[in-house]
Amino acid sequence: MTTTQVTLVQIDNYGPWTTTPEPRREMDLQTLQSRLFADVAQFLGHRDAYVFFTRFDNMIAVTNGVDGAAHATLQESIGNRYPVSVSLGTAVAERPVDALEAANRRLQTAGSAQDESRTEVLAGEYLSETNRSDLQVAHFDVVNATGKYTDRLNEFDTFINIERAYGSLMRHLREAHGALSFFVGGDNVVAVCPDLPETAFSAAVDHVQEDVDIELQVGVGQGASAHEAGFAAKHALEDCRHAGTSVELFGAPAVSD
């Protein structure tokens, strides 16, 4: 059995802030969002966690191994360096979507995302050293995306095709298994999953092929942290590329620094 710790990072009162005292320049907002994501990703990445930008004003992190004190430090650091603050909700569950639902509820119970009086909520439960277990990460990519799309189509049409594959995959894994899938650039999607067998990943690849006529391949890994599981998934994906297979499980584990 796998267990996933999920943290929701939510900018406090962001919508009203972007229009007060008047609407702010869009590229200034895009710059702030990208820098904030980079800082959160760097902070959590140094602790072997993963963070995904989703809508930028909300980010979803997989934080197995990151305790409450580290979450508090992240929150304080952002508050000291940005004109906005963030609230953090954390929860633990076998299915990643259930952990996210619980993390969301912790913030929603404290108030609306656009409530100016709800700031810097820090609420959650964290996996302890005694109840930690592995999590499962799957790394998907589009088979021969360069030859089929990048070198043949304009960039916008290429992006449309990649997004079609991502949309089909994320909905399937969410509805069938309670997994959370995230586009991570290029033609790559990282999915955080409960403990699924090889047949579930084969079914996901087949679903996308049938739904949007795009061919995927996937490597799957497990580990004590998102980094460890994700690194094993990357190795398994390389096995797919070398062997010409669509699914490979449990590549080489991450090497400790």
Side-chain angles (χ1 to χ4, degrees):
M1 185 182 75
T2 58
T3 306
T4 307
Q5 178 177 302
V6 172
T7 298
L8 174 64
V9 182
Q10 187 175 86
I11 301 179
D12 296 318
N13 200 32
Y14 187 58
W17 180 82
T18 65
T19 58
T20 303
E22 60 183 20
R24 300 173 190 271
R25 289 167 55 92
E26 186 58 36
M27 287 303 99
D28 290 343
L29 297 177
Q30 294 296 319
T31 299
L32 181 146
Q33 290 173 173
S34 62
R35 286 177 175 166
L36 179 60
F37 171 70
D39 281 347
V40 174
Q42 184 176 54
F43 182 95
L44 292 175
H46 284 163
R47 290 157 178 80
D48 289 344
Y50 276 5
V51 60
F52 305 98
F53 52 79
T54 63
R55 296 183 293 133
F56 282 109
D57 58 345
N58 285 259
M59 293 171 266
I60 297 173
V62 181
T63 54
N64 292 53
V66 183
D67 63 13
H71 281 76
T73 299
L74 170 61
Q75 189 177 58
E76 180 181 12
S77 176
I78 292 169
N80 287 339
R81 294 184 296 115
Y82 283 88
V84 294
S85 62
V86 297
S87 288
L88 305 176
T90 305
V92 174
E94 180 180 348
R95 296 198 319 160
V97 73
D98 295 332
L100 177 60
E101 289 277 5
N104 255 111
R105 284 195 298 271
R106 293 179 189 278
L107 299 191
Q108 291 163 349
T109 300
S112 169
Q114 294 194 2
D115 181 351
E116 63 181 10
S117 67
R118 193 216 77 177
T119 58
E120 294 190 302
V121 175
L122 181 62
E125 59 174 330
Y126 310 93
L127 287 165
S128 68
E129 290 297 326
T130 58
N131 69 353
R132 287 175 63 180
S133 66
D134 283 356
L135 69 156
Q136 187 172 69
V137 170
H139 195 131
F140 293 82
D141 76 357
V142 176
V143 176
N144 192 26
T146 301
K148 293 177 180 177
Y149 305 110
T150 307
D151 289 347
R152 296 181 58 194
L153 305 176
N154 68 65
E155 173 52 28
F156 194 76
D157 290 339
T158 295
F159 181 61
I160 287 174
N161 279 283
I162 301 304
E163 286 291 290
R164 288 171 63 234
Y166 169 43
S168 177
L169 177 66
M170 70 188 297
R171 284 189 296 271
H172 172 79
L173 289 177
R174 161 66 177 91
E175 292 166 3
H177 305 294
L180 302 175
S181 306
F182 305 94
F183 176 65
V184 293
D187 62 332
N188 294 266
V189 174
V190 168
V192 185
C193 309
D195 193 358
L196 300 179
E198 182 175 358
T199 53
F201 296 102
S202 296
V205 169
D206 291 344
H207 169 81
V208 174
Q209 179 80 61
E210 294 167 5
D211 186 32
V212 296
D213 194 27
I214 295 176
E215 185 181 2
L216 298 178
Q217 54 194 358
V218 57
V220 183
Q222 290 191 353
S225 67
H227 163 65
E228 186 176 314
F231 206 69
K234 282 178 176 284
H235 277 283
L237 181 58
E238 287 303 309
D239 292 340
C240 283
R241 291 168 176 153
H242 292 149
T245 53
S246 59
V247 181
E248 293 288 343
L249 269 62
F250 311 135
V255 177
S256 300
D257 294 334

